[in-house]
């Protein structure tokens, strides 16, 4: 609901500002309907693209940035098609201007890139922050208390660790090394930013140069080249010849 509210607010702002010459199109009511509809549709398209891009990539990696760029480009195509068709229906005089689709797509991508960047910033700000009071005694070493519930994987995100569980995930303020020690199940560190529980592994895909581990909840964790030998020793890789070729 917060995302829908932000999309409506953004649409209203764009209707008032009238970017890309849209301030010349009709009255304010028509522009409000157009831009709010475009922003709500963009929330669904770019939100879905952002979720797919960040699900299988590591925070801060080059691969994540490339995935976000690709996701933004792909999501911009249906957004541009829908908004172009709607605009020509609301304002038939636009069709006589012979506005090319590549230009329309470029304008759509500009707003889409801003939207995806805003999603990333909002997610970063929503991470829990640990507050320390001056009169509180020092906290005990976090590795003393095991992480409760079923843990499928641990993913390092800046100074936080994302704990992946069957029903979702949560962020905790803890170094990845201590979080691994706090998990009371067998697993391996597949990447400098990932640890995976052995019971959560459903498949090991790819080869030694581009290997990944698929988990029971559909999550995909990367495997560093240096970790391949550990996966072989643990028996995670069944067909070693094809897996590391």
């Amino acid at each position: 609901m917060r995302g829908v509210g932000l999309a409506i607010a953004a649409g209203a702002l764009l209707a008032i500002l009238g970017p890309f010459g849209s301030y010349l199109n009709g009255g304010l009511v028509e522009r409000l309907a157009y831009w709010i509809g475009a922003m709500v549709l963009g929330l669904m398209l770019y939100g879905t693209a952002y979720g797919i891009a960040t699900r299988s990539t590591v925070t801060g990696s080059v691969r994540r940035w490339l995935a976000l760029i690709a996701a933004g480009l792909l999501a911009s195509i249906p957004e541009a098609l829908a908004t172009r068709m709607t605009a020509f229906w609301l304002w038939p005089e636009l069709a006589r201007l012979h506005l090319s689709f590549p230009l329309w797509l470029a304008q759509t991508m500009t707003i889409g890139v801003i939207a995806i960047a805003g999603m990333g910033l909002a997610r970063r700000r929503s991470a829990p922050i640990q507050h320390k009071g001056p009169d509180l005694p020092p906290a005990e070493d976090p590795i003393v208390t095991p992480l409760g519930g079923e843990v499928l994987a641990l993913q390092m995100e800046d100074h936080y660790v994302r704990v992946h569980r069957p029903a979702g995930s949560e962020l905790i303020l803890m170094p990845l090394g201590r979080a691994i020690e706090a998990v009371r199940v067998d697993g391996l560190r597949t990447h400098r930013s990932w640890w995976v529980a052995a019971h959560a592994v459903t498949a090991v895909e790819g080869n030694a140069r581009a290997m990944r581990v698929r988990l029971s909840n559909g999550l995909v964790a990367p495997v560093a080249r240096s970790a391949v030998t550990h996966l072989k020793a643990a028996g995670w890789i069944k067909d070693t010849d094809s897996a590391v070729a």
Side-chain angles (χ1 to χ4, degrees):
M1 293 303 296
R2 183 176 64 177
V4 173
L6 290 174
I8 293 174
L13 179 62
L14 290 173
I16 296 172
L17 296 178
F20 308 121
S22 61
Y23 65 91
L24 298 173
N25 300 333
L28 179 60
V29 174
E30 291 180 346
R31 295 201 304 272
L32 282 170
Y34 171 80
W35 278 113
I36 290 176
M39 289 300 101
V40 173
L41 175 62
L43 175 67
M44 294 185 290
L45 291 175
Y46 291 105
T48 302
Y50 181 88
I52 294 174
T54 56
R55 184 179 180 88
S56 59
T57 54
V58 180
T59 301
S61 65
V62 175
R63 184 178 178 185
R64 166 159 294 190
W65 285 111
L66 293 176
L68 287 175
I69 293 173
L73 291 174
L74 291 175
S76 295
I77 295 175
E79 176 77 6
L81 289 171
T83 54
R84 181 182 173 88
M85 181 178 63
T86 303
F88 285 1
W89 176 74
L90 284 173
W91 305 294
E93 61 273 14
L94 289 178
R96 293 191 291 270
L97 297 178
H98 303 291
L99 299 173
S100 66
F101 180 74
L103 176 60
W104 198 286
L105 179 61
Q107 294 174 350
T108 304
M109 287 169 51
T110 300
I111 298 177
V113 169
I114 296 175
I116 284 187
M119 291 177 192
L121 181 61
R123 179 182 178 185
R124 187 179 184 89
R125 290 186 174 181
S126 65
I129 300 176
Q130 185 183 60
H131 298 278
K132 295 182 179 180
D135 298 326
L136 295 177
E140 295 183 358
D141 192 332
I143 68 173
V144 174
T145 304
L147 292 176
E150 183 180 356
V151 178
L152 303 181
L154 302 173
Q155 178 185 3
M156 183 173 63
E157 294 189 7
D158 297 326
H159 300 294
Y160 296 86
V161 171
R162 182 170 295 279
V163 183
H164 294 281
R165 304 182 187 277
S169 65
E170 60 183 304
L171 282 175
I172 59 173
L173 183 59
M174 180 186 295
L176 179 60
R178 290 190 176 183
I180 293 173
E181 295 181 25
V183 180
R184 295 296 189 260
V185 295
D186 293 332
L188 291 176
R189 190 162 182 170
T190 64
H191 190 274
R192 65 180 181 84
S193 301
W194 281 82
W195 175 92
V196 175
H199 72 273
V201 178
T202 59
V204 179
E205 304 169 346
N207 52 49
R209 296 181 179 179
M211 187 173 291
R212 56 193 176 272
V213 176
R214 188 170 298 276
L215 307 186
S216 56
N217 64 344
L219 188 68
V220 176
V223 177
R225 294 187 184 182
S226 59
V228 173
T229 55
H230 299 294
L231 269 64
K232 291 174 58 179
W236 291 17
I237 301 176
K238 302 302 182 182
D239 184 359
T240 56
D241 293 334
S242 61
V244 299

